[in-house]
């Protein structure tokens, strides 16, 4: 065997293993690597992380993962009782690393843009700093493309895009004034934010738009750390609240018995993405993770499109395949 042949075999082997990892892992390879060998979550101890949509689901799971390592938290959402519940869960998970004053409950409706600035002041008055803003509050959607009213398009963008951009602008201004532009901004996007899925047109567009806003910011503010975390199907109650095509109605379904990544695992992977300041990460069980990889490659996307009907894609995203 010549040296060249040897190199070729190594190269082929590398790709075979790489693609195998797309199948067996529940997140992108770089994120899995960092979860094993990267910066540990305890490096974030003492930092102040503000999480929106922290009353349940992915936001709650992220809060618990961070609390375990002594990260100080601001928990925001509309429902105060749920936030109080999450606060006590965080304190229990922290096992002495955090006191009550280290987990601040900050009730807020993301849609009340005029109150964002005073909410930021509340955080800064309490902790005297903010290290990371995690924009996680959001609502999904189930509807046929042709049935969606423009009012729903607007409402969904108002919550999943404009409210996030508005709050982020205030925080980035604070980073610029206080830290010369250093700071960390994160958002829960979705795999639907870079690969279209059926029956969620407005949601797909909104997460694509959110990604674009953050990527455009990164080009202007090089010192800023930006994390776009893109989950595939996760076992939360989000379908209860999801938009349909008509205004004022919600999907109101449960995700029980569907094959979905647990919220706990999702929160843990989100925390690893933050600790390692990763710019784009995603997670999801097979075949979601595999498809997410293919979606990042235009050649593979075209090949896959030959085999994927909207029915198959929908089964995958509803955890039925
Ligand atoms: N679950 C999935 O499969 C999945 C997949 C990809 C991406 N995501 C994204 O992950 C994020 C969290 O979703 P999830 O699955 O955890 O959903 P979830 O369980 O429904 O949680 C949504 C959170 O957002 C808060 N929220 C909703 N509207 C709000 C508003 N107007 N103002 C402030 N807070 C508001 C809710 O709290 P209150 O009701 O108390 O305000 C709740 O804490 C979303 O951005 C979603 O798009 C989810
Ligand atoms: C989309 O339309 C089809 C055919 O009318 C219907 O069976 C299906 O339930 C609709 N899907 C949603 C999410 O509304
Ligand atoms: C897409 O994948 C093909 C086949 O693996 C590879 O040759 C090509 O370089 C990839 N393209 C991009 C943009 O990553």
């Amino acid at each position: 065997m010549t040296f060249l042949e040897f190199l070729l075999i190594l190269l082929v082997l590398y790709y075979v293993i790489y693609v195998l990892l797309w199948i067996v892992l529940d997140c992108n390879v770089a994120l899995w690597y960092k979860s094993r060998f990267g910066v540990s979550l305890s490096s974030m101890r003492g930092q102040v992380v503000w999480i929106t949509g922290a009353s349940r689901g992915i936001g709650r799971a992220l809060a618990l993962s961070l609390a375990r390592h002594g990260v100080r938290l601001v928990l925001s959402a509309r429902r105060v009782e749920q936030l109080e519940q999450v606060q006590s869960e965080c304190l229990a998970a922290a096992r002495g690393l955090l006191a009550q004053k280290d987990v601040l409950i900050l009730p807020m409706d993301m849609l009340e843009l005029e109150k964002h600035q005073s909410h930021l002041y509340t955080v800064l008055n309490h902790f005297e700093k903010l290290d990371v803003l995690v924009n996680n509050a959001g609502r999904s959607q189930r509807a046929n493309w042709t049935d969606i009213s423009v009012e729903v398009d607007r409402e969904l963008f108002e919550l999943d895009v404009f409210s996030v951009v508005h709050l982020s602008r205030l925080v980035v201004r604070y980073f610029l004034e206080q830290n010369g532009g250093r700071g960390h901004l994160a958002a829960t996007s979705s795999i639907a934010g870079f690969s279209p899925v059926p029956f969620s047109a407005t949601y797909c567009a909104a997460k694509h738009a959110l990604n674009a806003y953050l990527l455009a910011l990164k080009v202007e503010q090089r010192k800023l750390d930006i994390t776009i975390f893109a989950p595939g199907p996760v076992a939360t109650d989000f379908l209860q609240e999801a938009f349909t095509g008509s205004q004022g109605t919600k999907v109101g379904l449960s995700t029980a018995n569907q094959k979905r990544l647990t919220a706990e695992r999702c929160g843990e992977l989100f925390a690893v993405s933050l600790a390692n300041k990763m710019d784009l990460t995603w997670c999801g069980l097979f075949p979601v993770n595999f498809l997410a990889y293919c979606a990042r490659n235009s050649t593979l996307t075209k090949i896959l499109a030959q085999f994927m009907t909207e029915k198959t894609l929908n089964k995958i995203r509803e955890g039925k395949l």
Side-chain angles (χ1 to χ4, degrees):
M1 188 163 54
T2 66
F3 183 62
L4 207 67
E5 283 167 346
F6 178 69
L7 273 188
L8 204 72
I9 289 172
L10 268 190
L11 192 73
V12 170
L13 209 67
Y14 170 82
Y15 274 107
V16 168
I17 292 173
Y18 193 51
V19 173
L20 263 178
L21 288 177
W22 300 1
I23 295 169
V24 296
L25 296 183
D26 60 2
C27 61
N28 59 306
V29 179
L31 177 52
W32 171 79
Y33 180 83
K34 293 288 186 191
S35 74
R36 288 300 180 94
F37 310 109
V39 171
S40 109
L41 296 189
S42 42
S43 67
M44 289 181 76
R45 185 165 173 191
Q47 286 194 14
V48 177
V49 178
W50 183 4
I51 305 173
T52 69
S55 61
R56 63 181 206 173
I58 296 171
R60 168 183 169 273
L62 171 65
L64 289 172
S65 291
L66 294 173
R68 244 167 245 133
H69 296 271
V71 178
R72 294 187 284 167
L73 297 165
V74 184
L75 306 176
S76 283
R78 291 163 303 177
R79 286 165 305 165
V80 185
E81 269 174 40
Q82 270 86 346
L83 287 175
E84 285 167 349
Q85 175 71 31
V86 176
Q87 182 195 41
S88 46
E89 288 171 337
C90 283
L91 292 174
R95 285 185 290 179
L97 290 179
L98 296 172
Q100 179 111 8
K101 65 166 179 21
D102 296 323
V103 183
L104 176 68
I105 292 179
L106 179 55
M108 76 183 279
D109 185 338
M110 282 297 289
L111 294 171
E112 294 175 342
L113 303 193
E114 69 285 359
K115 294 189 183 156
H116 284 184
Q117 185 71 62
S118 77
H119 291 315
L120 175 58
Y121 286 143
T122 305
V123 173
L124 296 176
N125 281 336
H126 187 86
F127 286 113
E128 292 179 336
K129 68 164 184 171
L130 173 65
D131 296 293
V132 190
L133 170 66
V134 180
N135 290 291
N136 167 76
R139 282 172 64 191
S140 190
Q141 181 185 41
R142 293 294 181 269
N144 285 305
W145 200 100
T146 39
D147 294 343
I148 300 170
S149 79
V150 74
E151 284 77 18
V152 170
D153 287 319
R154 291 206 174 100
E155 254 187 62
L156 197 153
F157 263 71
E158 199 62 41
L159 178 63
D160 287 10
V161 185
F162 302 135
S163 80
V164 174
V165 171
H166 187 267
L167 183 63
S168 301
R169 279 195 184 119
L170 301 178
V171 168
V172 173
R173 276 180 209 145
Y174 156 76
F175 287 150
L176 282 168
E177 281 158 20
Q178 295 297 313
N179 312 330
R182 275 174 231 286
H184 194 164
L185 189 68
T188 316
S189 182
S190 168
I191 287 179
F194 57 81
S195 171
V197 294
F199 312 121
S200 298
T202 319
Y203 179 73
C204 276
K207 294 296 187 183
H208 273 75
L210 178 60
N211 291 357
Y213 265 112
L214 295 176
L215 293 173
L217 170 61
K218 181 69 189 174
V219 184
E220 287 181 38
Q221 298 294 339
R222 304 287 169 118
K223 288 181 191 158
L224 199 66
D225 291 306
I226 293 181
T227 297
I228 298 176
F229 178 69
V234 179
T236 70
D237 252 344
F238 77 103
L239 267 189
Q240 292 291 348
E241 292 291 313
F243 286 97
T244 64
S246 25
Q247 206 177 16
T249 61
K250 294 175 179 176
V251 173
L253 292 176
S254 143
T255 54
N257 302 322
Q258 297 183 357
K259 188 175 110 188
R260 287 171 170 270
L261 194 69
T262 65
E264 289 67 32
R265 175 70 177 155
C266 182
E268 190 69 18
L269 290 168
F270 201 161
V272 172
S273 312
L274 294 179
N276 288 277
K277 299 186 160 57
M278 301 179 79
D279 47 12
L280 172 70
T281 55
W282 65 84
C283 58
L285 300 172
F286 180 83
V288 174
N289 190 38
F290 182 82
L291 291 179
Y293 260 104
C294 297
R296 305 278 303 152
N297 178 304
S298 54
T299 316
L300 293 176
T301 302
K302 274 185 198 137
I303 297 171
L304 260 181
Q306 307 296 316
F307 303 101
M308 289 285 169
T309 64
E310 90 280 2
K311 281 205 182 83
T312 318
L313 272 177
N314 198 44
K315 273 190 187 159
I316 291 170
R317 71 93 61 100
E318 302 287 20
K320 287 173 183 159
L321 203 85

